[in-house]
Amino acid sequence: MIELRNVHKRFGQQVILNGVDFSVEEGETVALLGPSGTGKSVLLKHIIGLIHPDAGTILVDDLNVATLGRKQLAALRSTIGYVFQNGALFDSMNVFENIRLGITDAKDNRNAAYCATRVPECLALVNLAPEVADKFPAELSGGMRKRVGIARAIAGKPKYLLYDEPTSGLDPVNADIIDGLVKHLAQTLGVTSVMVTHDVRGAFRVSDRVALLSDGKIVLQGTPKEFLASADPRIKAFLERDFDSHSFAA
Amino acid sequence: MPSAQTAVLSLPRAVGRSVIGSLAHIGRFSLLLAELFRALVEWRIWLPRTMDEARNIGAGSLFIVLLVSAFAGAVTALQTGYQFQGNLPYYVVGTLVVESIVLELGPVLTALVLAGRIGARYAAELGTMRVTEQIDALESLGRSPMSHLIIPRVLAGLVMIPVLTIFANAIGVLAGWWSAKQVLPLSNADFTYGAQFYWRPFDAYYSIIKAFFFAGAITLIPCYMGFNAQQGAEGVGKATTTAVVATSVTILILDTLLAKLLLHP
């Protein structure tokens, strides 16, 4: 279980998180919505300990992430797969080596035979052909890079998957494929997922619950139905903006 | 319009900010060093990468290092010959070429060239990795950026830069010898006599000790700058420029300090 209690974070004078309370139960998929620049990615990075809070508590499996030692943090991170917004693939390595790096168990990682089967397995899970393994990130399209990023994140068989804007910058077709992939992985691997996004349609399709981050706080955490039924003006304004943009695009 | 009080306080504020900024750099740099030493136990990770990096530094830099050093040796010999013509015996050219190259020009010019070549590359590579979240990705996988990225670069530099300096010294002396013979009535025996006349074995050690310290600056400063780069392409550019300037200045400061400490203890 992931739980954030009263988390505060500011960069210089800018307050990013102002008392965030947020929780994700085992096995569920939660979409964290919010306009760009509201601190969704910052919140996600707190969960994996890439950013430390100024105040508040972040618990993953009852472990306080901010106070963990180096080894404990590394051990915790090996149970979490993180999908970065732009893939964050290592451009000096080919796809095989990138995914191999995601095999976090040291023994498995050193076992060439295991890696030779695990990497194509991960590629298959994200609907990519085994031949992609020989390519370098620069040779891949945006959608493929995102999928390789997901393949790397699942290579270590994590318990949690954190997605940072997995569909941003993609055309609707590729965005739908990635959304489908998020749902498929949650079902087949049984992982607990948190997806940061500003795509309301995708969030509703994929997640069990949605949360809206606005002005440094979680405005609402509930099912998509509860979200749509909410009378909170901030939620209404966010939904109207999103639906407006979709109808404009149509 | 700013009040008189604001104007009076602006200077101490600027100084204060600068001091705090410098202390923050020192703190972050010390943390990087501490992390680096801690990650040395992960030798399975950094050893193969160090080999690759050493090959990269050695083979990639050899030509430019030898070229610069050859010209430095040749010019030193030609100017020495010109200045002392008719005043001092010609074997002095051998003395000056060898001592100038081994004590100063070989290690310092090699270091300055490598500060541009390797330092800029390290800062830009790591800076790009930072702004494209590749370093975050490494950490998110529970892996240490020190053993994957920093230790291989630093160790490869600490090994290869002294080796390159030895090659630079040898080529510089040979180029000086050859050039002097082109313009002066200088025999091989004269040159070797002059070269050996003031030669002390410590001169060779001094040259390598300097190269080792310079290697530390050439690798650590750019790695630190790149590792802490921020704000996109502009941040990477700034980190790269700062790394090259800071490394070059550090090389010159180390050069003076080592001359005082090792030659005039």
Side-chain angles (χ1 to χ4, degrees):
Chain A
M1 184 187 174
I2 297 170
E3 195 176 359
L4 279 77
R5 291 182 197 154
N6 197 24
V7 171
H8 291 256
K9 184 69 186 176
R10 64 160 64 199
F11 293 119
Q13 296 300 311
Q14 197 181 358
V15 177
I16 307 294
L17 304 178
N18 191 19
V20 167
D21 292 302
F22 177 68
S23 64
V24 185
E25 299 293 333
E26 296 278 320
E28 73 172 346
T29 299
V30 176
L32 183 61
L33 289 164
S36 299
T38 47
K40 303 187 296 294
S41 301
V42 170
L43 190 151
L44 208 61
K45 284 182 178 176
H46 275 85
I47 296 173
I48 199 165
L50 288 173
I51 297 177
H52 292 291
D54 296 335
T57 312
I58 296 140
L59 298 170
V60 178
D61 287 343
D62 294 326
L63 295 170
N64 189 343
V65 177
T67 59
L68 290 179
R70 181 183 321 279
K71 282 187 180 170
Q72 289 169 304
L73 186 60
L76 177 71
R77 281 171 173 170
S78 69
T79 68
I80 303 174
Y82 195 108
V83 180
F84 286 83
Q85 194 168 351
N86 295 308
L89 301 178
F90 304 109
D91 41 27
S92 59
M93 297 177 184
N94 65 14
V95 167
F96 182 91
E97 288 300 326
N98 263 286
I99 297 174
R100 185 179 183 167
L101 215 56
I103 300 170
T104 44
D105 183 90
K107 272 188 187 166
D108 287 344
N109 189 278
R110 282 200 295 274
N111 184 340
Y114 175 81
C115 294
T117 54
R118 181 64 184 154
V119 171
E121 208 174 274
C122 294
L123 284 171
L125 277 167
V126 296
N127 300 325
L128 285 174
E131 297 78 52
V132 174
D134 296 327
K135 292 184 183 291
F136 279 84
E139 299 172 277
L140 304 175
S141 68
M144 285 171 92
R145 268 203 292 273
K146 297 236 182 200
R147 279 191 270 174
V148 173
I150 296 173
R152 184 177 66 186
I154 60 175
K157 299 181 178 169
K159 187 177 171 189
Y160 300 101
L161 270 175
L162 310 179
Y163 299 89
D164 188 0
E165 301 275 11
T167 57
S168 74
L170 295 182
D171 60 86
V173 175
N174 267 308
D176 282 351
I177 290 171
I178 297 287
D179 284 340
L181 204 55
V182 172
K183 196 165 188 172
H184 173 71
L185 290 174
Q187 286 165 351
T188 53
L189 304 178
V191 288
T192 305
S193 309
V194 182
M195 183 171 85
V196 156
T197 183
H198 56 257
D199 173 18
V200 177
R201 278 188 326 135
F204 281 11
R205 198 165 42 228
V206 167
S207 56
D208 302 310
R209 287 192 301 137
V210 285
L212 178 72
L213 182 68
S214 178
D215 298 324
K217 285 180 192 279
I218 297 289
V219 176
L220 179 106
Q221 226 186 140
T223 62
K225 273 186 182 173
E226 288 169 344
F227 202 81
L228 284 171
S230 171
D232 190 304
R234 289 165 296 184
I235 294 174
K236 279 183 176 284
F238 182 73
L239 289 175
E240 274 166 20
R241 263 203 306 270
D242 185 76
F243 290 137
D244 280 353
S245 67
H246 280 296
S247 51
F248 181 72
Chain B
M1 210 175 126
S3 68
Q5 193 184 9
T6 312
V8 168
L9 287 175
S10 64
L11 181 65
R13 269 197 198 123
V15 172
R17 265 198 295 271
S18 170
V19 169
I20 290 168
S22 303
L23 288 174
H25 271 301
I26 291 168
R28 281 199 295 267
F29 190 74
S30 307
L31 279 176
L32 182 125
L33 286 181
E35 293 274 325
L36 193 146
F37 281 113
R38 235 189 310 237
L40 279 173
V41 291
E42 296 175 348
W43 61 271
R44 275 178 205 272
I45 293 165
W46 58 254
L47 190 61
R49 288 173 171 82
T50 303
M51 298 296 183
D52 291 343
E53 202 56 53
R55 260 193 300 275
N56 203 336
I57 293 179
S61 311
L62 191 61
F63 174 73
I64 184 69
V65 163
L66 295 187
L67 187 76
V68 169
S69 146
F71 277 102
V75 170
T76 306
L78 295 174
Q79 291 186 350
T80 307
Y82 165 74
Q83 285 188 327
F84 295 146
Q85 215 163 18
N87 299 318
L88 288 171
Y90 285 122
Y91 71 79
V92 173
V93 175
T95 304
L96 274 168
V97 167
V98 170
E99 294 296 309
S100 305
I101 292 290
V102 173
L103 292 180
E104 183 66 13
L105 293 176
V108 172
L109 286 180
T110 301
L112 289 174
V113 166
L114 295 180
R117 192 186 176 277
I118 299 172
R121 208 192 87 204
Y122 282 0
E125 272 177 2
L126 293 173
T128 305
M129 290 187 80
R130 169 62 75 194
V131 300
T132 57
E133 297 184 308
Q134 290 178 52
I135 292 176
D136 283 348
L138 209 51
E139 288 189 81
S140 77
L141 294 167
R143 298 177 183 280
S144 155
M146 293 298 136
S147 51
H148 280 80
L149 302 173
I150 310 290
I151 293 177
R153 286 171 167 81
V154 173
L155 286 186
L158 290 176
V159 172
M160 292 312 293
I161 292 172
V163 172
L164 285 168
T165 303
I166 293 170
F167 279 110
N169 289 346
I171 291 296
V173 169
L174 288 174
W177 188 345
W178 182 82
S179 305
K181 283 185 67 178
Q182 304 308 305
V183 294
L184 298 171
L186 178 77
S187 67
N188 289 340
D190 287 338
F191 190 91
T192 47
Y193 174 77
Q196 288 170 344
F197 196 80
Y198 289 103
W199 175 258
R200 278 169 283 200
F202 179 72
D203 295 350
Y205 298 132
Y206 175 72
S207 188
I208 295 167
I209 291 167
K210 272 170 73 156
F212 188 76
F213 276 89
F214 294 163
I218 291 166
T219 52
L220 284 169
I221 295 172
C223 282
Y224 165 75
M225 292 292 177
F227 198 73
N228 290 290
Q230 284 168 347
Q231 294 164 354
E234 191 190 340
V236 176
K238 195 176 161 193
T240 307
T241 313
T242 314
V244 174
V245 172
T247 306
S248 303
V249 171
T250 306
I251 287 168
L252 298 177
I253 293 170
L254 281 174
D255 190 30
T256 313
L257 281 176
L258 290 170
K260 171 71 184 79
L261 290 172
L262 299 178
L263 301 182
H264 303 280

